[in-house]
Amino acid sequence: MTAVVVLPPTSRLPSIKALGTIPVGLLHEAIQYLQAIYNPEICGSRRVSRGACRKERPTHNTDTGLCDTTLSWEAVRADAFEHAHAIRWLTALIAQATTHADADAVETLVQSAAALLAICAGAASAGTRTRTYAFSGSVRVQLTDVALRNDDFESVGAQTWGSACVLAEMIVEEPARFGLGGGPPDAAPAMVRVLELGAGTGLVSLTIGKILDRCGRAEIVASDFHPLALENLRLNIENNNPCHDSCGLPLVSAHFLDWQEAADPANALEAPFDVPFDEVFGADVIYEVEHAAWISACLRRLVRMTGRFHLVIPIREGFARESTAIERLFPRVEDMHRVEPTLCITQKESIICEAEPDGAAGSRGGVEYAHYTIQWTDGRYGQPTGLHEE
Ligand SMILES: C[S@@+](CC[C@H](N)C(=O)[O-])C[C@H]1O[C@@H](n2cnc3c(N)ncnc32)[C@H](O)[C@@H]1O
């Protein structure tokens, strides 16, 4: 990534007095510059290390996932005087827009300035916020988070959580590891059916949509049970304009699925859940004691015999019961002695991320995540059933 010279807004922005005569193109550039400071793209998950889970902590590596200039941007962002100047400048720009020499062309400019002003003034922290997530410089997803409802603790899916960012980044780095593309170059891409549980704002599904748009055929079902999350998820899908399959159907679609209902075999599963999936994803979906049991029962109905479940959860203080429930419900493959096919943990790794100064909900202050791969295992052979010739 090329280094950018970072200047404080007082040096970089055109003078407030001259705003009425500055060409619109230069004003656009100035707003983009302020955006880079106060509403920056999220460059990956700020991962500092990753490794198979062992007793000792994984070693530190240099893959930070950060833009090269992060520290300089952060220094400017933290400067209260510069922040106040940016607010004054944006306010003046909006106030003078109608008298600008090119008043028609400034309309979109005013909209971007007003959205940025809301962020700078802190209004966005209490409401809607749109940000771009950029992974490996090649995949960009624009996501809107909406306000959590104080009176509804189940509205957590209205915001994007750190686990989704970690999982999306891993998928972009190694899609073949998650069964997404990566077949022989001359072979026709295989059709893959993907399901995301508790998709929230849809970062994981939309990231997969962007990857498969380039290298595979797919149906991606992003599911959630909360009406606010589902409504916002549909808007995020529309705004990212994911392409359509050969029948004109969207690659990514949003559907209602409640784990508690789907866990009960007495409840019939309707399309698109009536056919099991090849790859199922879940980011931060186990934070209540019952979740692990419901999800385990759902997976028995929703994962193909050759399929897998990819789960990323944060290791939160005070939530040990929730995360240990995973290892109670899904045996490790090496401890599997049952004859009948069982969903087992075939891989577990630990991921450590840096503090997020102004980023995804739940990742402020630095956090450790666990990534599990869970798949059907046949105890007679002690290996995943997906590895057997059928
Ligand atoms: C902490 S949020 C994580 C959202 C998203 N995966 C992310 O990481 O940004 C948990 C998600 O699980 C969903 N959820 C919680 N209980 C659920 C249930 N019983 N059935 C389906 N989804 C549920 C919530 O609506 C929410 O979207």
Side-chain angles (χ1 to χ4, degrees), residues 125 194 232:
S125 62
V194 171
N232 187 45

Side-chain angles (χ1 to χ4, degrees), residues 196-345:
E196 185 180 3
L197 298 175
T201 58
L203 181 58
V204 171
S205 292
L206 286 164
T207 301
I208 296 172
K210 302 252 165 169
I211 289 171
L212 291 179
D213 181 20
R214 294 186 304 215
C215 63
R217 293 190 306 131
E219 177 183 3
I220 303 160
V221 175
S223 70
D224 210 290
F225 82 141
H226 197 280
L228 177 66
L230 271 173
E231 187 190 330
N232 187 45
L233 175 61
R234 291 202 170 97
L235 287 176
N236 279 331
I237 292 173
E238 250 172 55
N239 291 340
N240 282 275
N241 195 19
C243 72
H244 291 61
D245 69 7
S246 52
C247 306
L249 294 170
L251 201 57
V252 185
S253 55
H255 297 265
F256 174 88
L257 180 79
D258 182 338
W259 312 324
Q260 186 176 12
E261 277 174 29
D264 183 349
N267 294 328
L269 293 173
E270 289 179 9
F273 305 105
D274 52 343
V275 176
F277 292 82
D278 301 297
E279 307 290 343
V280 180
F281 294 83
D284 204 348
V285 288
I286 296 181
Y287 52 95
E288 304 276 352
V289 185
E290 319 82 58
H291 287 167
W294 291 341
I295 287 181
S296 156
C298 285
L299 291 174
R300 287 199 282 278
R301 308 181 78 191
L302 293 169
V303 180
R304 276 186 66 179
M305 283 311 269
T306 52
R308 286 176 297 187
F309 177 47
H310 310 276
L311 171 70
V312 171
I313 54 159
I315 306 301
R316 291 188 175 109
E317 241 176 78
F319 281 77
R321 271 196 323 149
E322 289 72 5
S323 35
T324 51
I326 297 168
E327 304 200 21
R328 208 168 13 83
L329 285 156
F330 301 100
R332 285 188 179 244
V333 69
E334 57 271 24
D335 301 331
M336 214 329 247
H337 303 298
R338 284 181 225 153
V339 170
E340 71 278 11
T342 303
L343 281 165
C344 291
I345 297 168

